[in-house]
Amino acid sequence: GKEEIVVEIKSLSKRSLLESLYAALGQYIVYRDALEEVEIKRDIYLAITALKYERIKDIPFLVRCLEKHDVKLIVVNIKEQKIEQWKK
């Protein structure tokens, strides 16, 4: 069968990576909870660029935050216009 998902695309372009991820994570959690509230059974993914993902991986605290909140990621290579990773 086919799987239906919701994708929240974020550029994380604010001055601070921490500030950007803070806003994106908050929205992700609210969207996920809203879907659950209205009983829509879809996984939600946070789509970010490969460059931002590499920066996040360099900061263990941010990696732990994503893991703690069970954030599903789609890592996109903008230059090549392709998905590099699906992190469920």
Side-chain angles (χ1 to χ4, degrees):
K2 69 179 181 179
E3 181 179 354
E4 293 185 22
I5 65 171
V6 175
V7 178
E8 172 67 17
I9 300 170
K10 290 294 174 189
S11 65
L12 304 181
S13 61
K14 293 187 183 347
R15 284 189 279 188
S16 158
L17 179 61
L18 181 58
E19 181 183 358
S20 297
L21 192 59
Y22 171 78
L25 182 58
Q27 287 179 331
Y28 176 91
I29 291 169
V30 169
Y31 293 159
R32 182 180 61 194
D33 290 352
L35 289 173
E36 185 178 297
E37 182 74 18
V38 295
E39 298 180 4
I40 295 176
K41 301 207 182 318
R42 292 193 182 131
D43 287 332
I44 184 168
Y45 287 81
L46 180 62
I48 60 174
T49 67
L51 292 175
K52 295 293 182 179
Y53 180 66
E54 290 304 316
R55 288 184 56 206
I56 289 169
K57 285 190 343 185
D58 289 338
I59 304 171
F61 167 74
L62 297 181
V63 173
R64 284 193 304 275
C65 281
L66 293 174
E67 290 171 352
K68 179 180 180 178
H69 295 286
D70 195 29
V71 176
K72 295 176 170 90
L73 293 174
I74 296 174
V75 180
V76 180
N77 182 317
I78 298 297
K79 189 174 184 177
E80 295 180 20
Q81 297 184 349
K82 71 175 190 173
I83 294 174
E84 287 191 353
Q85 293 183 55
W86 288 77
K87 301 192 70 65
K88 295 185 176 189

